[in-house]
Amino acid sequence: MRLLDAVVQGCLLGGQYALFAAGLSLVFGVLKVVNLAHGDLGILAAFAAIGLAAGAGLPLALAVGVVLVGMLAVGAALHAGLLARTTGALPQISMIATFGLSVVIGNTLQEVFSADPRALDLGSFGTAGVTVGGISVGLLPAAVLAVAVAALTGLHLVLTRTAFGRRVRATADDPATAALVGVDARRTYLVVTALAVGLAGLAGIAYAASSLVTPLAGPSRLIFAFEAVVIGGLGSLWGTLVGAVVLGVAQSVGSVVDPSSGVLAGHLVFLAVLATRPAGLLARTRVRA
Amino acid sequence: MTAVLEVGPAPTVQVVRWSRAASATVAGFVVLVAVAAAVPMLFVPLVGNRLTALLALVVLAVTWNALAGYAGLVSVGQQGFFGLGAYAVLALSDLGLNAYLSVPLAGVVCALAALPSSLLLFRLRAGQFAIGTWVLAEVFRLLVSRVPQLGAGTGRSLTSTTDVDPALRQAFTYWTALAMTVLVLVGAFLLLRSRVGIRLQAVRDDENAARSLGVGVTGEKRLVFVLGSGGAGVAGAITLTNSLTAQPDNMFGVQWAALMIFMVVIGGIGTFEGPIIGAVLLFAVQQLFDGFGNWYLVGLGVLAVVATLAAPRGVWGELAHRRGWTAAPLFHDVRWPALPLAPGAAARHDAADTTVREEGRR
Amino acid sequence: MTLLRIEGLVVRHGLLTAVREVDLTVASGEVVALVGANGAGKSTLLHAVAGSLPVARGRVLLGGTDVTAVPAHQRVRAGISLVPEGRLLFPGLSVLENLLVGVPARSRRGADEASALPRGGWDVERVLDAFPLLARLRDRPAGLLSGGEQQATAIGRALVADPALLLLDEVSLGLSPAAVDVVYASLEAVLAGGVGVVLVEQDIERALRTATRVVCLLEGRVTRDVAREHADREEITRAYFGTGTEVAS
C-alpha cells in the first residue's frame, strides 16, 4: 500500500518535472543550446509571483498572469540579448553564458528574498485532496500534472499542425536552408526561447504552489528536467512526460525505502538509463535514408 | 627577386615550435617557482595560507580549460572530482597515510573515478554532457553524505595534521600545493603540446575538416577528461589540507564550477596562459570583495556573461590576438622559405590565433 | 524587362575571393546557364544573389530595387528562390511539409515594387499538379526519398514561394540519368512560366539545350556572355577549361 501510494505520488510529482522539462527540451531541440539558467528562470518566476501576490497583495490569478507574460518577455530578451549575440572562440560559449546567468539569478534572488523557504499560497485548494481506494490524491498535484499534459499536448500540436511549428522544425533541422525558403530563423529562435522561458515560468509557479522554494533551487530543477528529458528520449515530447513520471516515481519510491535517498534514487535511475538505453526509454528507432 | 629563383633544390619547410618569448617564459617560470617556494620563510603564515588558495585556483582553471578549451568538454560538474579529492585525503589519512602524500594520491583516485564516469557521460553530446557531469557531481555529494565515517552531511575535519606546529603545517601545505601546481602546469603544457593536444586543437578548430583527415579524438578527449578530473581532485585535496574542514555541500558545491568557468572565460578560454591570469584576477577579486556574500557571486556571473558577449577571447586571448603574444609555445609556426607571396611570413596556427577559425565558422 | 542586375559584385570566402567584379543582368523569361569549372564561383554567385552569403562589394538589384542588404529570408518574399546544391531538404518534415515551409508566412506586404515583377503564379496546388510524383509522396518524410524525389521536392519547395527569379544550383548532380530527365522534364513547365532562371549545370550539353543564354565564369570572372544561338560549344569548352580566355563579352 505504501509502495502504491509512493508510485501515485511519484506520478504526480512527474507533472512538475515535465513542465520544467518541456521548455528545456524545446530550446535544446531547436537552438541546440542547453540553457543552464532554465531552472533559475523558473525560480525567478516563482519568487516574482510570490512577491506580487503575498508582497504587493495582487490577486493570485492576476499575479500569475503578469508573471507569465513577463517571462515571455524575459525569454525574448534572453535570446536577443544573450543567445543571439554569443559567438566566441567556442561553439559552447552561449551555454557558458547561460551558466553565468544562472549564477546571477540565483544569488540575486538570495540577496533580495533571503535564503528562507517560501511558498505560493493557494488557500484551501493547495491542501485539498480526494482519497481513492485508500490513496490520497492532492488536487493541486493532480492539477499540475494536468497542466503539464495540456502544455505538452499543446506544444506537440503547435509543432506538428501549424505553419509556425513547421518553420520551427525546419529551422531546427537546418537554419541556413530555412532562410533560403523564406523562414526568419532569428525570429523563430526568439519566439521559441520566449515560449520555453514562459514554460519555465509556469513550471516555477507550479513548483512554488506545491512545495517550499528557496532562491538557489534552480539548479536542482534544471537537473531533474534534464534527467526527465534524457530518460524519456530526446526529441520526443511524450518521452519527456514518461521520463518525468519515471523520475518522479523513482524519487518517491526511493524515499519510501530510505527517507534521505529519494533524489539519489532518481539520479541512479538516470545513470542506469544512460548506461543501458542511452537514447532514452521511448527512443524511436531512427529510420533515415 | 633573382636570389629567390636561384635557391637550388626544393626549399625545406621549417616548423618552429619555440620562440624567444617562450624561453623567457620558462626562465621567468623557474624564477617565480623558486621565489614562491621561499615564501613561507619570508612572510607571515597567513600569506602562505592565501597563496595556497591561489594555487588551488590555478590548478582548477588550467584543468578546466584543458577540458573546455581544448577537448571541447564543457563540464559543469568538476566540483564532483574536486570534492572527491578533498574527501579522498580525509579517507587516506584515516587509513594512516601522510596527509601531504595523500594529495597526489587523491588526484589518482579522482582520475580512476573519472574513467568509468566518462564511459557514461561521453554518451551525451555537448550541452547535455554539461548537465550530465553536474548530475554525477550530485551523485558523489549524496553518496559521500551517507558515509558516517566521513562526517556524513555535516562534514568533518582533517585531524592527522593537527599535532604539527601551525606555521610548519602551513608551510608544508603550501609547498605541497606549489609542487602539485608545477606538476599540473608542466603536465598540461606537455600534454597540449603533444600529438594529443594537436589533434584536439585540430578538431576544436574545424571538426569537419579534422574528421575528413581521419582525426577522431574520443580517446584523446577521454584522456583529457581523466587527467583533468585528477587535476580537479588535486585542487580539492589542496583546499582541504589548507582549510582542514570538509563539508559535502561546500566541497561538492556548484560554486566551484562557477569559479572555474569565470577564471577561464575571463582569462581566455582555449589559451594556455589565459586561465592562469584568470585565476590571479579571481584571487584579487576575492581579496577585495570578501564578505560581500552573494553579491560577489552575482558580480562574477555578470562579468562572465559580459565577457562572453564583449570579449569572448578573454583577457589573454584578446592580447594575443591583437599583439600576437604567446608566452607558452603551443603553436606550430610553419615557415615557408622564399615563397614569392610573402617572403619570410609565417603561417601561424596556434591556440591564440582565432581569426582564420572564426571566418571559417561564420 | 530587367529582372536581376548584378553590378561589380565581389564575394569572399575568408581570404579567398570567389567572385570578382561580376556584372550580369537577367530578364524575365530568360534562362541563363552559368557554366565553368569547379571553383569558378558559380555557386557562390547564386548564394550571393539569394542573400545567404555576404557581399564584399557591389550591388544586387531585383526589379530595380537594391536588395544587397536584404537578408535571405526576405529576398524569398521579394521574389528570389534558390534550389541549393545537394537539395538540403528538411529530413524531419514530410514532402508536403517541406513544400508548406516554403509558403510565404503572410501576404506579401511591403514588397510593392517586387510584387509587380512577373511571376509564374505558383502555389502548393499547382506544384502538386506539375509534379505528380510529389502528390504521391506527400506524407513521406523527406529523409526517406530517393535523389530524384528529393530534387523534385526541393524545386517544388522553391516554387511555392512563387518566385520571379529561380536559381537552380546543380540540380542534376548525383542523380541517375533517368532521374535527371524527369527533373528537367518537370522544369519545362517552370521555364515556360515566364520567370527568370539562372541555372548552374555541370552538364554543358544539357545546359546548352535548356538555356536561352550562356555565361561562362572563370576564377570568379565572367569570360563569355552570349545568346544560346551564338554559343559555340567548342568556345564554351575552352572558356570552361580556362584556355584562351582573353575574349570578353
Side-chain angles (χ1 to χ4, degrees), chain A residues 160 166-167 169-170 173-174 177-184 187 287-289, chain C residues 52 72-73 76 82 88 90-93 97 100-102 105-106 143-144 157:
Chain A
T160 53
R166 277 193 297 273
R167 287 200 291 276
R169 287 186 292 142
D173 269 354
D174 182 348
T177 304
L180 279 180
V181 298
V183 177
D184 185 346
R187 188 161 152 265
V287 270
R288 213 167 252 189
Chain C
S52 48
H73 65 93
V76 176
L82 169 66
L88 304 182
F90 306 113
L93 275 61
E97 285 177 326
L100 288 171
V101 169
R106 263 172 247 126
L144 298 179
R157 184 180 64 177

Side-chain angles (χ1 to χ4, degrees), chain C:
Chain C
M1 69 175 280
T2 303
L3 176 64
L4 174 74
R5 178 190 290 282
I6 298 171
E7 297 176 352
L9 197 72
V10 177
V11 187
R12 297 204 175 96
H13 290 302
L15 302 171
L16 293 173
T17 304
V19 171
R20 302 158 190 262
E21 305 282 350
V22 164
D23 296 307
L24 186 70
T25 58
V26 178
S28 293
E30 238 186 335
V31 179
V32 176
L34 271 183
V35 297
N38 272 331
K42 303 170 307 232
S43 276
T44 306
L45 185 58
L46 290 194
H47 276 276
V49 172
S52 48
L53 275 179
V55 165
R57 227 172 39 235
R59 298 202 299 165
V60 176
L61 296 102
L62 182 72
T65 315
D66 189 342
V67 295
T68 318
V70 174
H73 65 93
Q74 285 175 15
R75 286 193 208 190
V76 176
R77 207 170 294 177
I80 303 178
S81 283
L82 169 66
V83 179
E85 184 188 333
R87 284 84 79 178
L88 304 182
L89 297 179
F90 306 113
L93 275 61
S94 71
V95 168
L96 183 63
E97 285 177 326
N98 265 280
L99 298 182
L100 288 171
V101 169
V103 175
R106 263 172 247 126
S107 59
R108 298 190 189 90
R109 61 186 164 85
D112 299 323
E113 304 102 297
S115 62
L117 297 171
R119 299 184 186 236
W122 289 93
D123 57 23
V124 175
E125 259 98 275
R126 268 198 62 197
V127 167
L128 290 176
D129 283 346
F131 297 76
L133 180 73
L134 298 186
R136 250 186 301 123
L137 298 167
R138 49 186 287 163
D139 294 321
R140 185 168 303 183
L144 298 179
L145 300 178
S146 72
E149 293 163 349
Q150 286 183 29
Q151 192 63 69
T153 311
I155 294 171
R157 184 180 64 177
L159 282 178
V160 293
D162 196 15
L165 174 68
L166 184 65
L167 310 170
L168 299 166
D169 196 357
E170 306 275 16
V171 285
S172 64
L173 201 69
L175 300 186
S176 68
V180 176
D181 288 338
V182 172
V183 166
Y184 269 92
S186 58
L187 271 179
E188 269 168 27
V190 180
L191 304 180
V195 304
V197 175
V198 180
L199 68 98
V200 166
E201 181 55 74
Q202 289 287 351
D203 183 348
I204 301 181
E205 208 59 66
R206 173 111 31 205
L208 285 179
R209 242 182 295 149
T210 317
T212 57
R213 219 171 98 215
V214 179
V215 172
C216 300
L217 274 186
L218 179 73
E219 291 174 0
R221 288 198 173 84
V222 174
T223 54
R224 294 289 289 154
D225 185 345
V226 290
R228 195 234 331 240
E229 308 85 82
H230 303 132
D232 168 26
R233 211 178 162 270
E234 206 169 311
E235 197 176 38
I236 304 256
T237 315
R238 246 187 295 133
Y240 192 107
F241 290 109
T243 45
T245 55
E246 299 315 307
V247 217
S249 52

Side-chain angles (χ1 to χ4, degrees), chain A residues 199-213:
Chain A
L199 280 169
L202 188 61
I205 288 168
Y207 173 49
S210 315
S211 54
L212 291 169
V213 191

Side-chain angles (χ1 to χ4, degrees), chain B residues 22-53:
Chain B
S23 302
T25 311
V26 170
F29 183 65
V30 171
V31 172
L32 187 69
V33 170
V35 171
V39 161
M41 275 85 110
L42 299 174
F43 298 105
V44 286
L46 189 62
V47 177
N49 191 314
R50 293 205 172 178
L51 286 182
T52 305

Side-chain angles (χ1 to χ4, degrees), chain B residues 57-139:
Chain B
L57 290 181
V58 169
V59 171
L60 278 181
V62 167
T63 53
W64 196 80
N65 180 52
L67 261 70
Y70 287 89
L73 298 167
V74 178
S75 165
V76 193
Q78 290 309 99
Q79 68 272 19
F81 296 102
F82 180 89
L84 205 59
Y87 274 92
V89 171
L90 271 185
L92 289 171
S93 57
D94 282 356
L95 295 173
L97 211 73
N98 176 295
Y100 301 110
L101 284 180
S102 308
V103 171
L105 279 179
V108 173
V109 168
C110 290
L112 289 178
L115 186 61
S117 307
S118 75
L119 295 178
L120 278 184
L121 295 174
F122 278 31
R123 298 178 161 203
L124 297 165
R125 294 246 184 104
Q128 301 174 280
F129 174 82
I131 315 188
T133 56
W134 201 344
V135 171
L136 193 74
E138 282 297 292
V139 170

Side-chain angles (χ1 to χ4, degrees), chain B residues 310-347:
Chain B
R313 292 190 191 95
V315 172
W316 181 263
E318 292 290 337
L319 284 174
H321 182 69
R322 285 180 199 171
R323 309 263 165 110
W325 287 0
T326 33
L330 291 178
F331 56 76
H332 286 69
D333 266 4
V334 182
R335 296 202 176 137
W336 306 81
L339 266 185
L341 253 175

